[in-house]
């Protein structure tokens, strides 16, 4: 069995969309090439005086439809190929949801859990300073991803602003509210995952009330998805993190309280331990991968019993894993649709910052719902009319919009 890299997977998905849309070879060449790649050395003075050098990246995959947009990941395993793949997915995601953005991704190959708060701040500021020439509210707007959160965004915003000489909140999204963050941004990705789950269940003729859910990954996406799903009346029966999973809890908030102080969900009072592998194979209605890439593969996909899989994570499924789920009749809500709530509310945050006018939580919720529901219906309609999977339909919609924008802008000179 071949294990494809996230980049090979993303390129294969793009190739398929290009073929299904009957685009030209010129289109393929443009669409399959990242616009700009920056690799930087990020030196860090550790608290004990040692100097470490980490690799950092910022990939601006596309700027055709607007400034590029995408998260910053702090994780020891990231490399350039994966960052390009994730930046490509951001491009189709922004186009699918019709946001006026291209796509980007960045990060530092560091295990954020090994850094003290002060080290994390120094690393974030130095990384920001290294990529400073290519970011900005009209160029490229970073946001949190795996291993980063609103504190990192506050430091990025400050570093950029100090260099400009005035406050520039719109250079990053996912900031604390007092620095120009948006109400509802923290929970936005999880809220979107929950909305996609509810709609996919309804389309499958399954009543969301009381439907059971297992969630792999209990970070920003997994936790907020669990909260929103419980509010909608679904039952979250298992959650996991990198150390393993638990079942048997009353509410995800009990698990959160425990994991905040213990750094893992494992051992939360009144729960039973399961492995991540067992979690994937639970007899539930919905499975939500919300951790890292490549968790649903040729070796794990056949154990999945869920009727609907909702990709909270980016690129959690390999092509072999996808083929197995499709042939087993599982409805897969693809990443670029399922987790698009995060970038949709990031867009709202950027709009609010640029206008210096801030919306109510209700405004954010209503607008998120409107944009996401429109995308879900478009994907479902196209999947039905073209007899393709939701993933293929979502890519066709996103890729077609970027290709059209390319064509209309033309080739300079
Ligand atoms: P996070 O760092 O907040 O949480 C990641 C979680 O995954 C943690 O609970 C971690 O323990 C767990 N994890 C890591 N490796 C694992 C493994 N091998 N098995 C099981 N669990 C594992 O990150 P996040 O922001 O929640 O992002 C999760 C995914 O969602 C990523 O793929 C990210 O790109 C994607 N995403 C995030 C956002 C966002 O707004 N944060 C938006 C769209 C997509």
């Amino acid at each position: 069995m071949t294990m494809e890299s996230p980049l090979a997977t993303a390129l294969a998905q793009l190739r398929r969309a290009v073929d299904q849309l009957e685009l030209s070879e010129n289109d393929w060449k443009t669409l399959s090439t990242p616009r700009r790649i920056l690799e930087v050395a990020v030196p860090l003075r550790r608290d004990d005086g040692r100097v470490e050098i980490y690799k950092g990246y910022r990939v601006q995959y596309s700027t055709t439809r607007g400034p590029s947009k995408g998260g910053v990941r702090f994780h020891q395993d990231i490399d350039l190929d994966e960052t390009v793949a994730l930046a490509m997915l951001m491009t189709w995601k922004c186009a699918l949801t019709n946001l006026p953005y291209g796509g980007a991704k960045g990060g530092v190959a560091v295990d954020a859990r090994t850094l003290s708060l002060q080290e994390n701040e120094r690393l974030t500021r130095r990384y920001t300073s290294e990529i400073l020439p290519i970011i900005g509210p009209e160029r490229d707007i970073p946001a949190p991803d795996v291993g980063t959160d609103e504190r990192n965004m506050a430091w990025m915003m400050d570093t950029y602003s100090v260099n400009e000489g005035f406050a520039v909140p719109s250079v990053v999204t996912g900031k604390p509210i007092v620095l120009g963050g948006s109400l509802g941004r923290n929970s936005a990705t999880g809220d979107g995952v929950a909305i996609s789950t509810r709609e996919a269940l309804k389309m499958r003729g399954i009543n969301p009330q009381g439907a059971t859910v297992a969630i792999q990954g209990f970070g920003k996406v997994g936790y907020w998805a669990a909260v929103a799903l419980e509010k909608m009346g679904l039952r979250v029966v298992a959650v996991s993190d990198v150390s393993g999973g638990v079942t048997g809890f009353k509410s995800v908030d009990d698990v959160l309280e425990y994991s905040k102080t213990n750094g893992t969900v494992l051992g939360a009072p009144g729960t039973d331990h399961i492995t991540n592998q067992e979690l994937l194979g639970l007899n539930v209605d919905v499975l939500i991968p919300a951790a890292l890439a490549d968790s649903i593969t040729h070796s794990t996909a056949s154990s999945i019993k869920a009727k609907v899989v909702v990709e909270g994570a980016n690129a959690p499924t390999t092509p072999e894993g996808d083929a197995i789920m499709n042939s087993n009749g599982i409805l897969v809500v693809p990443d670029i649709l399922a987790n698009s709530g995060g970038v949709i509310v990031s867009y709202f945050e950027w709009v609010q910052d640029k206008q210096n006018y801030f919306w109510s939580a209700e405004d954010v919720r209503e607008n998120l719902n409107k944009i996401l529901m429109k995308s879900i219906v478009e994907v479902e309609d196209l999947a039905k009319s073209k007899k393709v999977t939701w993933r293929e339909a979502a890519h066709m919609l996103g890729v077609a919009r970027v290709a059209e924008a390319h064509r209309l802008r033309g080739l300079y000179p």
Side-chain angles (χ1 to χ4, degrees):
M1 275 300 159
T2 51
M3 268 300 285
E4 301 221 42
S5 70
L7 183 54
T9 302
L11 282 169
Q13 288 166 351
L14 172 61
R15 181 73 245 183
R16 189 145 176 81
V18 165
D19 292 344
Q20 286 171 323
L21 291 162
E22 298 179 5
L23 298 178
S24 70
E25 276 312 293
N26 282 345
D27 288 329
W28 159 253
K29 282 183 215 161
T30 316
L31 294 165
S32 60
T33 310
R35 176 87 181 79
R36 186 180 286 130
I37 291 177
L38 180 61
E39 181 176 321
V40 294
V42 190
L44 168 71
R45 190 180 302 284
R46 302 297 298 248
D47 292 340
D48 64 8
R50 275 178 307 129
V51 172
E52 312 264 21
I53 315 269
Y54 299 98
K55 267 195 180 159
Y57 307 98
R58 187 70 188 169
V59 175
Q60 297 174 345
Y61 193 85
S62 170
T63 51
T64 306
R65 301 178 68 260
S68 48
K69 182 95 192 74
V72 171
R73 184 175 285 199
F74 283 3
H75 192 276
Q76 59 280 13
D77 294 339
I78 64 163
D79 59 24
L80 185 55
D81 269 13
E82 184 179 25
T83 310
V84 171
L86 294 170
M88 190 195 312
L89 285 178
M90 282 305 298
T91 305
W92 318 141
K93 191 185 300 179
C94 291
L96 168 65
T97 45
N98 250 322
L99 306 179
Y101 289 139
K105 202 80 183 189
V108 180
V110 62
D111 185 349
R113 293 168 307 176
T114 64
L115 303 174
S116 69
L117 189 67
Q118 292 73 20
E119 289 171 340
N120 196 330
E121 176 172 355
R122 288 198 290 276
L123 188 80
T124 304
R125 287 184 181 281
R126 183 59 186 253
Y127 169 69
T128 309
S129 161
E130 294 296 337
I131 65 167
L132 206 77
I134 64 164
I135 61 171
E138 308 302 333
R139 293 171 185 270
D140 179 12
I141 306 130
D145 191 70
V146 175
T148 58
D149 59 21
E150 62 172 31
R151 277 177 321 187
N152 301 87
M153 295 306 114
W155 296 325
M156 289 190 81
M157 177 268 187
D158 183 67
T159 306
Y160 187 88
S161 299
V162 167
N163 277 274
E164 287 291 298
F166 52 92
V168 189
S170 52
V171 66
V172 290
T173 58
K175 298 176 296 292
I177 304 289
V178 289
L179 296 180
S182 177
L183 293 172
R185 173 61 185 88
N186 274 349
S187 62
T189 310
D191 289 339
V193 169
I195 292 169
S196 315
T197 304
R198 184 191 63 205
E199 295 306 312
L201 282 172
K202 283 201 230 156
M203 286 165 188
R204 270 289 140 109
I206 301 169
N207 185 356
Q209 294 300 315
T212 52
V213 187
I215 304 180
Q216 181 197 52
F218 200 57
K220 296 182 290 296
V221 178
Y223 167 70
W224 285 110
V227 170
L229 288 163
E230 281 189 346
K231 262 197 211 140
M232 287 177 181
L234 289 86
R235 280 199 308 125
V236 179
V237 297
V239 297
S240 72
D241 58 31
V242 66
S243 311
V246 289
T247 59
F249 47 84
K250 283 209 180 66
S251 145
V252 286
D253 273 318
D254 299 341
V255 183
L256 181 74
E257 275 316 302
Y258 175 85
S259 81
K260 265 189 197 158
T261 39
N262 296 278
T264 174
V265 298
L266 282 192
T271 62
D272 299 314
H273 172 213
I274 51 165
T275 63
N276 264 297
Q277 178 67 40
E278 286 165 341
L279 180 139
L280 292 181
L282 286 179
N283 196 4
V284 285
D285 296 305
V286 183
L287 173 67
I288 301 180
L292 298 180
D294 291 349
S295 71
I296 301 179
T297 65
H298 66 276
S299 58
T300 57
S302 45
S303 71
I304 294 175
K305 298 188 190 69
K307 297 163 197 89
V308 172
V309 169
V310 184
E311 296 184 336
N314 283 310
T317 306
T318 66
E320 292 97 340
D322 209 26
I324 294 170
M325 290 196 288
N326 291 333
S327 68
N328 288 346
I330 297 170
L331 174 59
V332 181
V333 185
D335 45 12
I336 61 171
L337 178 63
N339 68 35
S340 63
V343 73
I344 293 171
V345 177
S346 273
Y347 165 61
F348 299 159
E349 180 174 334
W350 179 75
V351 167
Q352 292 170 74
D353 289 339
K354 284 168 77 72
Q355 299 183 340
N356 286 310
Y357 179 77
F358 290 88
W359 306 1
S360 67
E362 193 48 35
D363 288 341
V364 171
R365 224 183 350 259
E366 268 176 24
N367 282 287
L368 167 62
N369 202 53
K370 203 157 59 187
I371 293 182
L372 188 54
M373 286 301 295
K374 184 166 181 281
S375 303
I376 294 171
V377 170
E378 278 180 341
V379 168
E380 223 252 329
D381 286 352
L382 189 67
K384 258 196 197 143
S385 68
K386 297 278 178 199
K387 297 194 176 17
V388 295
T389 64
W390 278 35
R391 189 187 310 283
E392 289 170 326
H395 276 84
M396 285 169 76
L397 285 162
V399 169
R401 283 181 190 141
V402 180
E404 189 189 2
H406 269 302
R407 258 197 313 277
L408 292 171
R409 282 184 62 163
L411 185 60
Y412 172 87

